[in-house]
Amino acid sequence: MWYSLWVLISVVFIYLVKKIVQSEPNKIQFHFKFFIFYFAGSVLSAFIWPYFLLNPKNVKNAKLGAGLLKHISKVYGLKWELRRDDILSEDRGAIIVSNHQSSLDILGLFNIWHIADKLTAIAKKEIFYVWPFGLAAYLGGVVFIDRKNTKGAYKQLEVTAEAMNKKIKIWLFPEGTRNKDYTKLLPFKKGAFAMAIASQKPVIPVVFSPYYFINRKKYTFNKGHVIIQCLEPISTKGMTMNDVSTLTERVHEIMEKTYKDLSNEVFSALPHGYTHTLVG
């Protein structure tokens, strides 16, 4: 019985390895590449969260973890090009909003975390339960909200707004979910902009260019170049809650225009015959 089991395990293992290393893209290879990021994050979290207990919920913890995990980009052959880093590095409290295309957005964020310095993020509460990563994120100062509980979420956002008075920047994805359409942005939810107005802190739009190198239908995950464009901060001084919708629409319009410009730039720079996707 045990012999048969080991034979079966060996056969399955050899099959998986062949699929992972073969040159032709396939489903197993595609998902394994994403698994590398998740696995590395979990392993690091398992080792590092006890250290975070020395100073729990301090944003410096998250900066340390991000500095270690950002090197996974080298495994993928990904280049993150940050533009206007002077905007991100300024020592001030602010709301940072960016488009959301994939879990790789987090890896991109890890690569620029040290520039933003005092930074935290807003995440859905389900991520907290993905231990040990969720635990490490919590101890690193990440704020988890229940998107189904509107009153509770806004209360948590109000508490988080106090952090900006300590010159901490807060990163949010206002689309609320991953956008698989590489031609435009999804409508923005208003929470981030309500928080910015409530605290009278600026909104800093950040736009990631499309992940043209990932094609879920063809199971390709190639090397790639992602431009991260920081835009001029938008002041909320003097705004009231009556201006939330207007501010939301204004930021969305600016970011969508930038996203389309970056798309044209990235696609036009691809080698002749390179097949890219417009659907993530």
Side-chain angles (χ1 to χ4, degrees):
M1 176 183 175
W2 287 108
Y3 175 78
S4 299
L5 180 60
W6 279 113
V7 170
L8 177 61
I9 293 175
S10 299
V11 171
V12 172
F13 177 76
I14 293 173
Y15 172 78
L16 292 176
V17 171
K18 284 185 175 181
K19 284 291 185 179
I20 291 171
V21 301
Q22 74 179 38
S23 58
E24 184 179 346
N26 59 80
K27 188 174 183 179
I28 293 175
Q29 182 188 80
F30 179 81
H31 290 293
F32 177 76
K33 288 187 175 181
F34 278 98
F35 173 76
I36 292 173
F37 179 35
Y38 305 146
F39 179 74
S42 296
V43 171
L44 176 65
S45 298
F47 281 97
I48 208 170
W49 75 261
Y51 173 76
F52 287 177
L53 287 174
L54 297 175
N55 198 1
K57 304 197 73 174
N58 189 310
V59 293
K60 292 182 179 179
N61 292 336
K63 181 181 176 182
L64 172 62
L68 295 172
L69 284 173
K70 71 178 183 179
H71 297 292
I72 298 174
S73 294
K74 298 175 183 177
V75 177
Y76 293 135
L78 294 180
K79 177 184 176 183
W80 307 92
E81 177 189 348
L82 177 62
R83 295 179 178 174
R84 293 300 309 273
D85 60 322
D86 57 304
I87 295 175
L88 203 59
S89 63
E90 186 170 338
D91 187 23
R92 61 181 164 193
I95 294 293
I96 302 175
V97 293
S98 71
N99 55 316
H100 190 21
Q101 303 175 108
S102 164
S103 57
L104 287 182
D105 297 336
I106 307 303
L107 184 55
L109 176 54
F110 287 165
N111 275 265
I112 63 175
W113 201 294
H114 64 289
I115 295 175
D117 193 27
K118 292 188 290 184
L119 174 68
T120 188
I122 302 293
K124 57 184 180 181
K125 73 169 187 176
E126 289 81 0
I127 294 179
F128 171 73
Y129 299 107
V130 183
W131 283 32
F133 180 82
L135 176 60
Y138 173 78
L139 294 174
V142 172
V143 178
F144 297 97
I145 61 172
D146 183 356
R147 293 184 297 182
K148 297 179 181 179
N149 182 356
T150 304
K151 292 184 178 180
Y154 268 97
K155 184 177 180 180
Q156 183 66 71
L157 291 178
E158 289 175 5
V159 173
T160 306
E162 297 177 6
M164 287 183 286
N165 294 325
K166 302 177 182 178
K167 296 185 177 181
I168 294 176
K169 304 178 186 73
I170 301 176
W171 191 293
L172 300 97
F173 297 105
E175 288 174 294
T177 188
R178 299 173 191 175
N179 182 11
K180 297 182 179 181
D181 185 346
Y182 287 173
T183 63
K184 61 182 180 180
L185 303 185
L186 295 175
F188 286 174
K189 298 184 183 299
K190 299 178 181 179
F193 307 97
M195 184 165 63
I197 290 176
S199 60
Q200 294 289 283
K201 298 297 182 182
V203 175
I204 301 177
V206 175
V207 183
F208 286 67
S209 61
Y211 297 155
Y212 62 89
F213 46 88
I214 296 177
N215 190 322
R216 292 184 178 277
K217 290 185 177 181
K218 296 184 177 180
Y219 301 119
T220 56
F221 189 152
N222 300 317
K223 296 179 180 180
H225 172 216
V226 181
I227 300 171
I228 306 175
Q229 177 72 62
C230 294
L231 304 179
E232 288 293 333
I234 299 174
S235 175
T236 61
K237 293 293 185 182
M239 290 187 182
T240 68
M241 288 302 164
N242 292 328
D243 299 310
V244 171
S245 295
T246 301
L247 177 61
T248 303
E249 293 170 3
R250 177 185 174 189
V251 175
H252 185 278
E253 180 179 349
I254 293 172
M255 289 180 64
E256 185 158 74
K257 180 182 183 304
T258 301
Y259 183 72
K260 291 180 179 179
D261 290 341
L262 290 177
S263 298
N264 292 333
E265 177 183 347
V266 170
F267 292 151
S268 63
L270 294 176
H272 179 70
Y274 188 105
T275 303
H276 63 269
T277 178
L278 294 178
V279 180

